[in-house]
Amino acid sequence: DVKVTQSSRYLVKRTGEKVFLECVQDMDHENMFWYRQDPGLGLRLIYFSYDVKMKEKGDIPEGYSVSREKKERFSLILESASTNQTSMYLCASLTGANEQFFGPGTRLTVL
Amino acid sequence: AQSVAQPEDQVNVAEGNPLTVKCTYSVSGNPYLFWYVQYPNRGLQFLLKYITGDNLVKGSYGFEAEFNKSQTSFHLKKPSALVSDSALYFCAVRDIRTGANNLFFGTGTRLTVIP
């Protein structure tokens, strides 16, 4: 079975802190994605990566960056966290059957 | 531009009754269509997809969806709802013409099954 893990289920940070959200998949998938989920807005794509060291901006990349140094790991970075980045963050990887498989999510609160 | 619309924020249905969660899409080419379900404090779980072939697609937990090209719809259905089906449901579309693997998600529909 595909497994996507995220480093934290819940995270509380202060405004201005640098925040790292880690995502690891164990199925050698090339494509990985970071979304944020907000009530009434659904899921919005922040960044995605189609290979090691390759990244593309999604719909809402402002305030975020990503890193993909190894195939199995895709990290989302908030350079200077702000309160409007309080959200649920979901990582996914793409299976060979064209299905995105999601991790459990990280609920981030920025105070 | 690609988009997905879920016109209902909330759907309530009595246990044992049939349920429908609506989804319409807009893409330039032929679509890949997906339904995902999210239980409280969990990530999204894949339910079913339409890529090509039979317009009626069967998925997990007894759910099915019908692809209707003329109405650009992909409604999720189940003949008999269970209380355990109560969750948040997302429709998503991928435009295969672009070659990208991104999904565009709807805003979600919260299904409540009343005992």
Side-chain angles (χ1 to χ4, degrees):
Chain A
D1 280 352
V2 178
K3 191 169 184 181
V4 177
T5 58
Q6 295 184 228
S7 50
S8 305
R9 293 300 303 275
Y10 300 94
L11 207 54
V12 180
K13 295 292 183 181
R14 297 207 174 271
T15 301
E17 279 192 80
K18 190 169 186 176
V19 181
F20 292 87
L21 302 182
E22 304 285 343
C23 176
V24 177
Q25 50 95 3
D26 65 355
M27 287 300 290
D28 202 38
H29 292 159
E30 292 180 346
N31 291 271
M32 296 185 73
F33 307 82
W34 273 107
Y35 296 90
R36 64 176 282 176
Q37 180 184 2
D38 301 287
L41 297 176
L43 275 73
R44 294 178 291 168
L45 182 65
I46 305 171
Y47 268 96
F48 66 100
S49 168
Y50 51 89
D51 206 346
V52 175
K53 296 190 185 296
M54 307 304 288
K55 60 186 179 184
E56 291 285 345
K57 293 180 180 179
D59 298 319
I60 52 164
E62 296 79 17
Y64 303 94
S65 62
V66 291
S67 172
R68 185 113 181 254
E69 296 298 318
K70 294 184 178 181
K71 197 172 189 179
E72 66 271 18
R73 188 180 297 270
F74 189 36
S75 302
L76 180 69
I77 304 157
L78 287 66
E79 295 290 341
S80 177
S82 63
T83 55
N84 63 12
Q85 292 179 308
T86 292
S87 187
M88 170 72 97
Y89 290 87
L90 293 166
C91 174
S93 68
L94 187 72
T95 74
N98 287 299
E99 299 158 13
Q100 289 197 15
F101 193 92
F102 284 83
T106 296
R107 187 167 294 281
L108 173 67
T109 301
V110 182
L111 301 176
Chain B
Q2 304 159 77
S3 65
V4 173
Q6 293 181 243
E8 300 158 318
D9 293 334
Q10 174 83 39
V11 170
N12 296 326
V13 64
E15 186 177 22
N17 281 4
L19 70 86
T20 298
V21 183
K22 296 179 180 177
C23 172
T24 59
Y25 67 89
S26 174
V27 297
S28 301
N30 292 319
Y32 284 6
L33 292 157
F34 301 81
W35 276 102
Y36 285 84
V37 60
Q38 186 179 37
Y39 298 102
N41 298 314
R42 304 284 295 276
L44 272 67
Q45 294 180 31
F46 170 80
L47 271 182
L48 52 80
K49 66 183 177 186
Y50 171 83
I51 294 179
T52 187
D54 195 347
N55 290 343
L56 185 63
V57 179
K58 294 189 183 297
S60 306
Y61 312 121
F63 283 93
E64 59 189 26
E66 185 168 11
F67 172 63
N68 188 317
K69 190 172 184 177
S70 62
Q71 296 185 5
T72 62
S73 67
F74 190 56
H75 300 332
L76 181 70
K77 299 182 179 185
K78 188 173 182 180
S80 179
L82 300 173
V83 173
S84 57
D85 293 330
S86 298
L88 188 56
Y89 290 81
F90 290 97
C91 181
V93 65
R94 176 186 150 195
D95 184 350
I96 63 174
R97 192 187 63 164
T98 65
N101 293 311
N102 305 338
L103 290 180
F104 291 87
F105 284 84
T107 52
T109 298
R110 185 165 299 282
L111 173 69
T112 299
V113 181
I114 302 163

